Amino acid sequence: MSFSLPSVLTIAGSDPSGGAGIQADLKTIAAFSLYGSSVITALTAQNTTKVYLVEDVSIAMLTNQLDAVLSDIPPQAIKIGMAGSPSSIEVIASRLTKFPSIPVVLDPVMVSTSGGTLFDKEGIKNLTKLLFPLATLVTPNIPEAQALLSTKSPLVSNQDMEKAATELWDKYKTSFLLKGGHSDSHSSDVLCHNGSIKWFNGERIQTQNNHGTGCTLTSAIACGLAKGNSLEESILSAKDYINGALMAGLELGKGNGPMWHGYKES
């Protein structure tokens, strides 16, 4: 007896501690009972306390990974996380342009947890010019939204977030889910899709073990799209999954530990 599964491709960096990046993506895809494939853009040496080192993979390796996967197991959805160097972004865009019907969820990993900028101006330009037009959904957090809008104005109120999401839509003409995880009072996200606003409410879960939430959320949204669900349905199921993974209460590591991606199996 044989069977087939929808496939989700994650294009991102590797996290050897397993809480974020490719590792978190593949765990999430498996939790949604889908088949996960991966293309690694960068190797990192990190754990729950800090990032020690980041190295981009070579352009030849990145290109061959993309060609190997896309030619053999074309995915039903693609998640992009850490995209790597400006040259890496060019390679990713050149390959994905050939598959315009595949939905793409893009997590614009631009600002580190400590607030440092991960992209220079050329990197941000390539990201917005080459990958944003291919994206079904872009999922910035508040610092990333500020960077994309070139503003330091705080996004505190719901009105601030709605305004920012709308401005991002107007500027880039793609759908944006502005994540509220950096807010002090809630974890609600706001979607601007085709110029219309919709809120996805969420209560703040008191835990320091939230390493990889952004990676996991975008992967979970991609899973919903791969199953043929609408964008709104995919976001709802992704937020529900994130809440469960956070509330499971996994305790690992000395810093911001990982969530329990396998809580549904427990």
Side-chain angles (χ1 to χ4, degrees):
M1 180 178 177
S2 61
F3 67 100
S4 176
L5 281 176
S7 172
V8 177
L9 167 62
T10 168
I11 304 172
S14 169
D15 173 8
S17 71
I22 289 285
Q23 288 83 351
D25 296 339
L26 291 175
K27 291 173 186 178
T28 301
I29 296 164
F32 277 80
S33 299
L34 300 181
Y35 184 83
S37 57
S38 63
V39 168
I40 297 177
T41 60
L43 301 176
T44 74
Q46 65 174 296
N47 56 27
T48 65
T49 65
K50 68 177 181 177
V51 176
Y52 292 81
L53 183 66
V54 178
E55 288 186 0
D56 292 333
V57 303
S58 70
I59 294 301
M61 176 57 78
L62 176 61
T63 302
N64 278 274
Q65 286 183 88
L66 286 163
D67 290 344
V69 174
L70 293 170
S71 66
D72 188 39
I73 310 175
Q76 280 64 59
I78 297 170
K79 173 264 172 83
I80 303 176
M82 180 188 289
S85 68
S87 297
S88 297
I89 292 171
E90 291 175 7
V91 170
I92 294 168
S94 71
R95 292 309 187 268
L96 298 193
T97 300
K98 301 175 183 178
F99 300 89
S101 63
I102 301 177
V104 175
V105 182
L106 172 60
D107 183 7
V109 184
M110 297 168 50
V111 180
S112 70
T113 303
S114 61
T117 301
L118 301 178
F119 270 148
D120 58 18
K121 289 184 178 180
E122 183 184 2
I124 294 175
K125 180 181 178 182
N126 274 20
L127 186 74
T128 58
K129 182 180 179 181
L130 299 178
L131 290 185
F132 277 25
L134 302 177
T136 305
L137 180 69
V138 183
T139 63
N141 57 33
I142 286 176
E144 288 160 350
Q146 290 172 312
L148 289 168
L149 293 172
S150 300
T151 178
K152 294 184 179 179
S153 300
L155 306 179
V156 179
S157 68
N158 286 4
Q159 290 76 14
D160 293 336
M161 290 182 64
E162 287 185 12
K163 182 174 182 291
T166 302
E167 288 177 356
L168 288 167
W169 159 261
D170 289 340
K171 185 174 182 179
Y172 296 108
K173 294 299 184 286
T174 191
S175 298
F176 279 83
L177 181 70
L178 178 51
K179 298 177 293 189
H182 282 73
S183 170
D184 293 331
S185 58
H186 63 77
S187 291
S188 298
D189 307 329
V190 60
L191 171 69
C192 188
H193 177 56
N194 293 330
S196 298
I197 289 291
K198 180 177 177 60
W199 278 93
F200 296 85
N201 295 324
E203 295 183 9
R204 179 166 294 283
I205 298 170
Q206 298 301 323
T207 176
Q208 71 169 10
N209 299 316
N210 54 11
H211 183 54
T213 51
C215 306
T216 301
L217 179 69
T218 45
S219 297
I221 295 171
C223 287
L225 296 175
K227 291 181 176 183
N229 297 333
S230 71
L231 184 58
E232 292 187 6
E233 290 170 336
S234 299
I235 294 170
L236 281 170
S237 66
K239 284 189 68 68
D240 180 65
Y241 174 72
I242 282 279
N243 286 343
L246 287 169
M247 292 177 66
L250 180 63
E251 290 283 351
L252 288 174
K254 300 175 182 178
N256 291 109
M259 301 169 287
W260 177 221
H261 291 87
Y263 75 94
K264 288 186 176 182
E265 304 295 329
S266 300

